Amino acid sequence: EKTRTVTVTVEDMWISANQNPICTGANLVLTAMHGNVQTGSIKWYKDGVIIATQDYPLSITNIQPNNAGTYTVTANCVTPGGSLVPISADITINVSGAPASSNIEIGVVQNEISIPGNTTICSGQQLQLYASGGNVTWTEPSQDPFIMLVSPTTTTTYHAQICNPVCPNLCTTATITVTVNPLPNPTITPTLNN
């Protein structure tokens, strides 16, 4: 009796995402790519927990940071001979949210040192304000996106819009108040000598 060995080649399965990283609030669409999948055999997992038993694609609306993780799809591949072979693929999805408050900083540059927080000056002094933590736009006119030169004559609050570099629609407004103390107005009283 002769033994014949038959080699069955199964194509790889893979997942494509419409965005990755994806912005908070956007819609995620994951598509599993394979031509010979048994209908009804597809299962979707997130971080090892099953989340759907449906044919692809998998859609998740209004993505939030807790949607980040590893997504896995499993299915049965139908071989040319009609047998079923389990296949799977995974993809790690990163969610980009608004700039974290711990990463946003606004303050004053003095002697090339960045000092966060509000500040006080005397009238007539000039200051360099800075903001960081993303793409910065000052609401007041500024030629430099990160540094703004100011010389207020009265106490003034300045605003910087700081946007996520990946998701420009996710922005946070940071403020800094510059308190201006008036210059002293000396009074000279003449002294009469008897």
Coordinates of all heavy atoms in Angstrom, one line a residue, residues 18-54:
N18 N -9.1 51.3 9.4 CA -9.3 52.5 8.7 C -8.4 53.7 9.2 O -8.0 54.6 8.5 CB -10.8 53.0 8.6 CG -11.3 53.2 10.0 OD1 -11.0 52.6 11.0 ND2 -12.2 54.2 10.2
Q19 N -8.1 53.6 10.5 CA -7.1 54.6 11.1 C -6.4 53.9 12.3 O -7.0 53.1 13.0 CB -7.8 55.8 11.7 CG -8.5 56.8 10.7 CD -9.1 57.9 11.5 OE1 -8.5 58.5 12.4 NE2 -10.3 58.3 11.1
N20 N -5.1 54.1 12.4 CA -4.4 53.6 13.5 C -3.0 54.4 13.6 O -2.2 54.2 12.7 CB -4.1 52.1 13.4 CG -3.6 51.5 14.7 OD1 -3.8 52.0 15.8 ND2 -2.9 50.4 14.6
P21 N -2.8 55.2 14.6 CA -3.7 55.5 15.7 C -5.0 56.2 15.3 O -5.0 56.8 14.2 CB -2.9 56.3 16.7 CG -1.9 57.0 15.8 CD -1.6 56.0 14.7
I22 N -6.0 56.0 16.1 CA -7.3 56.6 15.8 C -7.7 57.7 16.8 O -7.3 57.5 18.0 CB -8.4 55.5 15.7 CG1 -9.7 56.1 15.1 CG2 -8.6 54.9 17.0 CD1 -10.7 55.1 14.7
C23 N -8.4 58.7 16.4 CA -8.7 59.8 17.3 C -9.9 59.5 18.2 O -10.8 58.8 17.7 CB -8.9 61.1 16.5 SG -7.5 61.6 15.5
T24 N -9.9 60.0 19.4 CA -11.1 59.8 20.2 C -12.3 60.4 19.5 O -12.2 61.5 19.0 CB -10.8 60.6 21.6 OG1 -9.7 59.9 22.2 CG2 -12.1 60.5 22.5
G25 N -13.4 59.7 19.6 CA -14.6 60.2 19.0 C -14.8 59.7 17.5 O -15.9 59.8 17.0
A26 N -13.8 59.2 16.9 CA -13.9 58.7 15.5 C -14.5 57.3 15.5 O -14.7 56.7 16.6 CB -12.6 58.7 14.9
N27 N -14.8 56.8 14.3 CA -15.3 55.5 14.1 C -14.2 54.5 13.6 O -13.6 54.9 12.6 CB -16.5 55.5 13.2 CG -17.7 56.3 13.7 OD1 -17.9 56.4 14.9 ND2 -18.4 57.0 12.8
L28 N -14.1 53.4 14.3 CA -13.1 52.4 13.9 C -13.7 51.3 13.1 O -14.8 50.8 13.4 CB -12.4 51.8 15.1 CG -11.4 50.7 14.9 CD1 -10.2 51.2 14.2 CD2 -11.0 50.1 16.3
V29 N -13.1 51.0 12.0 CA -13.6 49.8 11.1 C -12.4 48.9 10.9 O -11.3 49.3 10.4 CB -14.1 50.3 9.8 CG1 -14.5 49.1 8.9 CG2 -15.2 51.3 9.9
L30 N -12.5 47.7 11.4 CA -11.5 46.6 11.2 C -12.0 45.6 10.2 O -13.1 45.1 10.3 CB -11.3 45.9 12.6 CG -10.7 46.8 13.7 CD1 -10.5 45.9 15.0 CD2 -9.4 47.4 13.3
T31 N -11.2 45.3 9.2 CA -11.5 44.4 8.2 C -10.6 43.3 8.2 O -9.3 43.5 8.1 CB -11.5 45.1 6.8 OG1 -12.4 46.3 6.9 CG2 -12.0 44.2 5.7
A32 N -11.1 42.0 8.3 CA -10.3 40.9 8.2 C -10.2 40.4 6.8 O -11.2 40.3 6.1 CB -10.9 39.7 9.1
M33 N -8.9 40.2 6.3 CA -8.7 39.9 4.9 C -8.3 38.4 4.7 O -7.3 38.0 5.2 CB -7.6 40.8 4.4 CG -7.7 42.3 4.7 SD -9.2 43.0 3.9 CE -8.7 43.1 2.2
H34 N -9.2 37.7 4.0 CA -8.9 36.3 3.6 C -10.0 35.9 2.7 O -11.2 36.2 2.9 CB -8.8 35.4 4.8 CG -8.2 34.1 4.5 ND1 -8.9 33.1 3.9 CD2 -7.0 33.6 4.7 CE1 -8.1 32.0 3.7 NE2 -6.9 32.3 4.2
G35 N -9.7 35.2 1.7 CA -10.7 34.9 0.6 C -11.5 33.6 0.9 O -12.6 33.5 0.3
N36 N -11.1 32.7 1.7 CA -11.7 31.4 1.8 C -12.2 31.1 3.3 O -11.9 30.0 3.8 CB -10.8 30.3 1.3 CG -10.4 30.4 -0.1 OD1 -11.3 30.7 -0.9 ND2 -9.1 30.3 -0.4
V37 N -12.9 32.1 3.9 CA -13.3 31.9 5.2 C -14.7 31.3 5.2 O -15.6 31.7 4.5 CB -13.4 33.3 6.0 CG1 -14.1 33.2 7.3 CG2 -11.9 33.7 6.2
Q38 N -14.9 30.3 6.1 CA -16.2 29.7 6.3 C -17.2 30.7 6.9 O -17.0 31.3 7.9 CB -16.1 28.5 7.2 CG -17.5 27.8 7.4 CD -17.4 26.7 8.6 OE1 -16.6 26.9 9.5 NE2 -18.2 25.7 8.5
T39 N -18.3 30.9 6.2 CA -19.4 31.8 6.7 C -19.9 31.4 8.1 O -20.1 30.2 8.3 CB -20.6 31.8 5.7 OG1 -20.1 32.2 4.4 CG2 -21.6 32.8 6.1
G40 N -19.9 32.4 8.9 CA -20.4 32.1 10.3 C -19.4 31.7 11.3 O -19.7 31.4 12.4
S41 N -18.1 31.5 10.8 CA -17.1 31.0 11.7 C -16.3 32.1 12.4 O -15.4 31.9 13.2 CB -16.2 30.1 11.0 OG -15.4 30.8 10.0
I42 N -16.5 33.4 12.0 CA -15.7 34.5 12.4 C -16.0 34.9 13.9 O -17.2 35.0 14.2 CB -15.8 35.7 11.5 CG1 -15.2 35.4 10.1 CG2 -15.2 36.9 12.1 CD1 -15.4 36.4 9.1
K43 N -15.0 35.1 14.7 CA -15.1 35.6 16.0 C -14.1 36.7 16.2 O -13.0 36.6 15.8 CB -14.9 34.5 17.1 CG -16.0 33.4 17.1 CD -15.7 32.4 18.2 CE -16.9 31.3 18.2 NZ -16.9 30.5 17.0
W44 N -14.6 37.8 16.9 CA -13.7 38.9 17.2 C -13.4 39.0 18.7 O -14.3 38.8 19.5 CB -14.3 40.2 16.7 CG -14.4 40.4 15.2 CD1 -15.4 40.1 14.4 CD2 -13.4 41.0 14.4 NE1 -15.2 40.4 13.1 CE2 -13.9 41.0 13.1 CE3 -12.1 41.5 14.6 CZ2 -13.2 41.5 12.0 CZ3 -11.4 42.0 13.6 CH2 -11.9 42.0 12.3
Y45 N -12.2 39.3 19.0 CA -11.8 39.4 20.4 C -11.0 40.7 20.7 O -10.4 41.2 19.7 CB -10.8 38.2 20.8 CG -11.4 36.9 20.7 CD1 -11.4 36.2 19.5 CD2 -11.8 36.2 21.8 CE1 -11.9 34.9 19.3 CE2 -12.4 34.9 21.7 CZ -12.4 34.3 20.5 OH -12.9 33.0 20.3
K46 N -11.2 41.2 21.9 CA -10.3 42.4 22.3 C -9.6 42.0 23.6 O -10.3 41.7 24.6 CB -11.2 43.6 22.5 CG -10.3 44.8 23.0 CD -11.2 46.0 23.3 CE -10.3 47.1 23.9 NZ -9.8 46.9 25.3
D47 N -8.3 42.0 23.5 CA -7.5 41.6 24.7 C -7.9 40.3 25.2 O -7.9 40.1 26.4 CB -7.5 42.7 25.8 CG -7.0 44.0 25.3 OD1 -6.1 44.0 24.5 OD2 -7.5 45.1 25.7
G48 N -8.2 39.3 24.3 CA -8.5 38.0 24.7 C -10.0 37.7 25.1 O -10.3 36.6 25.3
V49 N -10.8 38.7 25.1 CA -12.2 38.6 25.5 C -13.1 38.7 24.2 O -12.9 39.7 23.4 CB -12.6 39.7 26.5 CG1 -14.1 39.5 26.8 CG2 -11.8 39.5 27.8
I50 N -13.9 37.8 24.0 CA -14.8 37.8 22.8 C -15.7 39.0 22.8 O -16.3 39.3 23.8 CB -15.5 36.5 22.6 CG1 -16.2 36.4 21.2 CG2 -16.6 36.3 23.7 CD1 -16.6 35.1 20.8
I51 N -15.8 39.7 21.7 CA -16.7 40.9 21.6 C -17.7 40.8 20.5 O -18.7 41.6 20.5 CB -15.8 42.2 21.5 CG1 -15.0 42.1 20.2 CG2 -15.0 42.5 22.7 CD1 -14.2 43.4 19.9
A52 N -17.5 39.9 19.6 CA -18.5 39.8 18.5 C -18.3 38.5 17.8 O -17.2 37.9 17.7 CB -18.3 41.0 17.5
T53 N -19.5 38.0 17.3 CA -19.5 36.8 16.4 C -20.2 37.2 15.1 O -21.4 36.9 15.0 CB -20.1 35.6 17.1 OG1 -21.5 36.0 17.5 CG2 -19.4 35.2 18.3
Q54 N -19.5 37.8 14.2 CA -20.1 38.3 13.0 C -19.1 38.3 11.9 O -17.9 38.2 12.1 CB -20.6 39.8 13.3 CG -19.4 40.7 13.5 CD -19.8 42.2 13.8 OE1 -20.6 42.3 14.7 NE2 -19.3 43.1 13.1

